[in-house]
Amino acid sequence: MTEALLPPHLLALDDRFHALVHPLSRLETIATGFTWTEGPVWFGDHECLLFSDIPSQRVMRWSARDGVSVYREASGFNNGNTRDRQGRLIGCRHGYRDVVRTEYDGSLTVLADSYDGKRLNSPNDVVVTSDGAVWFTDPTYGILSNFEGYQADPEQVAHNVFRLDPVTGELTVVASDFTQPNGLAFSPDEKRLYVAESGRSHDETVAPVLRQFDVEGGSLKDRGVFASLDCGFPDGLRVDTAGNVWTSAADGVHCFASDGALLGKILVPETVANLCFGGHDGHRLFITATTSVYCVFVNEQGAEPWTRM
């Protein structure tokens, strides 16, 4: 296969990218007409995608059979979403400045809303590891204005990455030197954590990078910059079963090998906020981008187990 055979939405920058995509793939718009889409998460057991429309305060549902519907009204400016190992929805709400779990009966349980006696900034994105620990980022996007939250002064000294212990319920800071920590994702063996630095959104001096950390139990060891983006800044990201890192960018989705090399891009006509793997075979990449949600076939599956359910 040569680059010339790839459709216009696929840009190969390394020969390894060809094995991850297919020349007959299409970039499909599966939902549109929203204000700012975010937080996609696949529910394979229900064959549906949930995603946030943050300013509209709604969590939406899409399925190939039923199309688009509202999953939750008055979502509290819900942003990032994930599932825990029991299949429950975990969400980050800017409006309530908390991380919340949806129980099987539909009720909500607040997992974290304060640290050291002070309110969190505005939890942004979240992931749950196999031991049940909840890891999330806490930038200030939800309190900078009333567009995707409620404008307020931050109470936290730093913009942290947190870990919530599944046994003790203790909330600890695992990284505190970000300008604006955003998306986060673990390697398939959960020995490495990647975190997006999106501080360039409001400060052009901040480098648009993905940082990497070694996971040492409930703490992290900084391993520096994993990769830099050449267009915009990173927001949400995911890792596939081979260890490749797929991250949002201004021009689409950038795919990096586990060695940090930029393999290629999926070009999207709107600024991408987040993405996730899913679909009936686990080989669909769902992309939330400004007003729309897109879907494209990729030849890998997500490292998170529910993307293959």
Side-chain angles (χ1 to χ4, degrees), residues 15-81:
D15 287 342
R16 289 174 285 180
F17 190 62
H18 294 292
L20 302 177
V21 294
H22 194 278
L24 296 182
S25 73
R26 295 188 301 125
L27 182 68
E28 302 178 67
T29 305
I30 62 172
T32 193
F34 306 101
T35 306
W36 178 243
T37 59
E38 250 283 9
V41 58
W42 177 251
F43 277 70
D45 42 347
H46 296 281
E47 296 185 351
C48 73
L49 179 80
L50 297 184
F51 63 95
S52 302
D53 184 9
I54 302 176
S56 298
Q57 292 206 57
R58 298 186 300 175
V59 176
M60 308 300 298
R61 181 186 186 275
W62 173 89
S63 74
R65 181 183 63 187
D66 302 322
V68 180
S69 60
V70 177
Y71 172 77
R72 176 174 293 155
E73 296 275 13
S75 69
F77 296 98
N78 194 95
N79 189 339
N81 296 296

Side-chain angles (χ1 to χ4, degrees), residues 79-97:
N79 189 339
N81 296 296
T82 192
R83 299 182 76 182
D84 66 13
R85 297 309 166 109
Q86 289 73 47
R88 296 169 295 189
L89 176 67
I90 310 291
C92 295
R93 302 191 297 180
H94 283 181
Y96 294 100
R97 297 162 72 168

Side-chain angles (χ1 to χ4, degrees), residues 36-40 54 79-81 92 94 122-127 135-142 144 148 159-162 175 177-185 193-202 206-211 213 233-238 247-249 272-275 288:
W36 178 243
T37 59
E38 250 283 9
I54 302 176
N79 189 339
N81 296 296
C92 295
H94 283 181
S122 55
N124 189 282
D125 209 351
V126 60
V127 66
W135 306 67
F136 65 93
T137 55
D138 190 39
T140 56
Y141 290 120
L144 291 178
E148 53 179 309
H159 303 168
N160 298 313
V161 181
F162 286 102
D177 60 343
F178 281 85
T179 301
Q180 294 283 32
N182 207 309
L184 70 172
L193 175 65
Y194 303 96
V195 183
E197 170 60 88
S198 62
R200 178 163 287 203
S201 61
H202 292 75
V206 179
V209 298
L210 299 178
R211 292 173 57 185
F213 299 84
F233 53 86
D235 195 327
L237 62 143
R238 293 292 189 276
T247 182
S248 57
V272 172
N274 214 329
L275 57 133
T288 52

Side-chain angles (χ1 to χ4, degrees), residues 148-178:
E148 53 179 309
Y150 302 110
Q151 187 171 358
D153 294 328
E155 297 181 23
Q156 296 295 321
V157 175
H159 303 168
N160 298 313
V161 181
F162 286 102
R163 177 184 183 271
L164 181 67
D165 189 273
V167 177
T168 67
E170 181 184 6
L171 189 63
T172 58
V173 174
V174 292
S176 60
D177 60 343
F178 281 85

